């Protein structure tokens, strides 16, 4: 499973990159707004840190606007993946981007039927939001499971990029189901490392190591 970091905070991306296991970065307008910085500047800086796929979202909601922005994002970096919302215009834009060789990540996916359309359109990634489904009392993981089955049935090449990951259980379940990518906040990446028995065990090893004769 590939790990992407889900943030527009340069400090967090640098920290995640320092782990040596980061495969890519996802951003969205809300994450960029939190930084108070210009979207293009932020993406240019991310491109200098991470060589993997970097999702930059279009802000337009109409086809022409999305296509104009997609072509502009494409010029910013070779590893840019244009993030497009899952709407009728969005699907049309994905088909056009695919024909032009522009990689796409279709965002705001909440059902397996939506994901089927995304794969038919030829998107590079589909981003189902597990946390937001859980928030409204639906099981986000069920949607991931259905998408995995449908994509495997028909050998669709679109990668399942699990988004809106809020905790390590989301990531564990997504990995068990066989999702291709999870995009996670830095907090979740750090939670994956920690286990209380690791901390207790290490403290004991450090203590006992002092009792080992030097020669
Ligand atoms: C990533 O591509 C999504 O925009 C992000 O994971 C959404 O997460 P949220 O539901 O926690 O805002």
């Amino acid at each position: 499973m590939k790990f992407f970091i889900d943030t527009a905070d340069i400090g967090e991306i640098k920290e995640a990159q320092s782990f040596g296991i980061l495969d890519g970065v996802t951003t969205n307008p809300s994450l960029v707004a939190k930084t108070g910085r210009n979207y293009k500047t932020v993406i240019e800086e991310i491109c200098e840190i991470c060589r993997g796929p970097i999702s930059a979202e279009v802000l337009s909601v109409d086809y022409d606007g999305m296509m104009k922005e997609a072509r502009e994002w494409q010029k910013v970096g070779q590893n840019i993946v244009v993030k497009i919302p899952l709407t009728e215009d969005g699907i049309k834009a994905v088909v056009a981007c695919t024909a032009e060789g522009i990689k796409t990540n279709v965002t705001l996916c909440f059902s397996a039927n939506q994901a089927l359309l995304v794969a038919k359109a030829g998107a590079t990634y589909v981003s189902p939001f597990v946390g937001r489904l859980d928030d409204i009392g639906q099981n986000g993981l069920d949607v991931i499971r259905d998408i995995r089955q449908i994509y495997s049935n028909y050998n669709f090449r679109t990668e399942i990029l699990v988004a809106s990951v809020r905790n390590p259980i989301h990531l564990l379940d997504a990995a068990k189901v066989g999702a291709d990518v999870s995009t996670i906040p830095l907090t979740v990446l750090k939670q994956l490392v920690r286990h209380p028995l690791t901390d207790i065990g290490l403290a004991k090893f450090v203590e006992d190591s002092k009792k080992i004769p030097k020669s």
Side-chain angles (χ1 to χ4, degrees):
M1 171 182 265
K2 283 172 263 187
F3 279 13
F4 291 179
I5 189 87
D6 192 27
T7 183
D9 183 306
I10 298 296
E12 288 187 356
I13 293 166
K14 282 183 177 163
E15 190 173 349
Q17 177 71 12
S18 73
F19 280 62
I21 56 165
L22 190 66
D23 297 298
V25 181
T26 53
T27 64
N28 66 37
S30 304
L31 291 170
V32 176
K34 269 200 248 175
T35 70
R37 306 181 66 217
N38 172 272
Y39 204 164
K40 186 166 174 257
T41 307
V42 168
I43 292 294
E44 284 168 343
E45 286 182 23
I46 297 173
C47 285
E48 283 169 20
I49 302 165
C50 178
R51 300 281 166 234
I54 295 162
S55 288
E57 191 155 339
V58 295
L59 307 181
S60 299
V61 292
D62 65 293
Y63 172 83
D64 289 336
M66 286 183 201
M67 288 309 297
K68 184 168 177 283
E69 288 184 51
R71 292 175 188 126
E72 279 163 8
W73 276 132
Q74 182 73 353
K75 290 181 204 150
V76 175
Q78 286 187 331
N79 49 340
I80 298 288
V81 176
V82 180
K83 213 168 169 191
I84 295 179
L86 209 164
T87 60
E88 290 183 20
D89 278 22
I91 294 291
K92 290 174 195 170
V94 171
V95 171
C97 282
T98 303
E100 290 186 22
I102 299 173
K103 291 188 174 159
T104 52
N105 171 5
V106 180
T107 189
L108 295 167
C109 174
F110 294 97
S111 79
N113 273 338
Q114 286 181 317
L116 177 55
L117 285 177
V118 170
K120 296 261 318 160
T124 317
Y125 302 97
V126 64
S127 285
F129 280 32
V130 288
R132 292 193 196 184
L133 281 165
D134 289 357
D135 288 346
I136 61 160
Q138 292 183 20
N139 189 334
L141 218 279
D142 283 347
V143 174
I144 304 296
R145 198 175 286 111
D146 287 347
I147 299 171
R148 177 74 285 158
Q149 185 182 340
I150 292 165
Y151 281 16
S152 298
N153 284 350
Y154 297 101
N155 290 321
F156 283 125
R157 292 171 65 188
T158 301
E159 293 192 37
I160 303 169
L161 195 171
V162 180
S164 190
V165 169
R166 306 269 171 78
N167 55 57
I169 305 295
H170 279 150
L171 186 104
L172 177 67
D173 286 341
K176 282 159 73 178
V177 166
D180 302 287
V181 190
S182 277
T183 188
I184 56 179
L186 182 63
T187 46
V188 173
L189 179 61
K190 289 185 166 198
Q191 283 173 329
L192 296 177
V193 179
R194 299 293 299 269
H195 194 287
L197 289 179
T198 304
D199 296 342
I200 292 166
L202 182 60
K204 177 80 172 123
F205 284 157
V206 169
E207 189 188 317
D208 287 346
S209 72
K210 292 174 190 155
K211 300 173 194 160
I212 298 172
K214 296 275 185 286
S215 59

